[in-house]
Amino acid sequence: MTGVVVFAGALLMMTGLVNVFEGFIALFSDERLVITRENLIIVDVTVWGWIILIFGLLLIGVGACLLMAQTWARIASIVLVCLHAVTQVAWLGAYPVWGLLMIALDVLVLYALTARWTDVRGELGVGSGTEWSGQEAADLTAAERRRPPLS
């Protein structure tokens, strides 16, 4: 497992933990009061709280599986991070600074997970069908060589 994957897993768990806290805060104080010159608006953020809480729990779980070198966790985390970024775009009008921060963290995790994707495709046996050279096989760590193959 490369250092960027460990970084992505740790960042996923941290982002998930922040989302869990944010979701609980949104659930416990679920009505917001917005006063404008023309209107008085009361906004209920219960649905948003549940969405962020569920995403946080999923991100923590997938981040932990990514740190345990589960091969399915890399693809699942890419899908979850993309969905999380889309939900943050949807709430950008309500929380612009926080939404941009979460989108930036999501982009950082996506880059960390997809930067060396050709190596992962080679490990999974998908791709151009070329054999590994001696140098690529030597680059594998002892832990990666002991991982059971996918079947």
Side-chain angles (χ1 to χ4, degrees):
M1 181 165 37
T2 62
V4 291
V5 176
V6 172
F7 172 73
L11 194 58
L12 271 175
M13 291 181 69
M14 183 195 71
T15 303
L17 187 64
V18 169
N19 279 334
V20 166
F21 285 135
E22 187 179 4
F24 279 132
I25 290 170
L27 288 175
F28 292 137
S29 60
D30 59 347
E31 290 187 358
R32 304 277 188 226
L33 180 65
V34 179
I35 301 173
T36 63
R37 292 182 192 220
E38 297 84 20
N39 297 325
L40 172 68
I41 303 169
I42 298 175
V43 180
D44 188 11
V45 292
T46 304
V47 173
W48 180 73
W50 279 110
I51 291 172
I52 293 300
L53 179 68
I54 290 169
F55 264 117
L57 292 173
L58 287 173
L59 289 174
I60 289 172
V62 170
C65 290
L66 196 60
L67 290 177
M68 291 187 295
Q70 300 291 323
T71 54
W72 60 267
R74 191 167 190 168
I75 297 169
S77 60
I78 289 171
V79 170
L80 277 176
V81 167
C82 289
L83 289 173
H84 184 255
V86 169
T87 60
Q88 292 299 322
V89 168
W91 294 102
L92 204 53
Y95 298 100
V97 175
W98 185 257
L100 288 175
L101 176 69
M102 287 311 216
I103 291 170
L105 288 175
D106 289 340
V107 168
L108 190 62
V109 169
L110 280 174
Y111 176 75
L113 290 173
T114 58
R116 296 183 53 145
W117 189 252
T118 55
D119 294 344
V120 173
R121 292 186 61 177
E123 284 182 32
L124 294 175
V126 178
S128 62
T130 59
E131 294 295 321
W132 282 13
S133 68
Q135 179 62 32
E136 290 170 334
D139 288 341
L140 290 176
T141 64
E144 288 174 327
R145 280 185 252 140
R146 280 186 256 131
R147 188 174 11 168
L150 293 174
S151 56

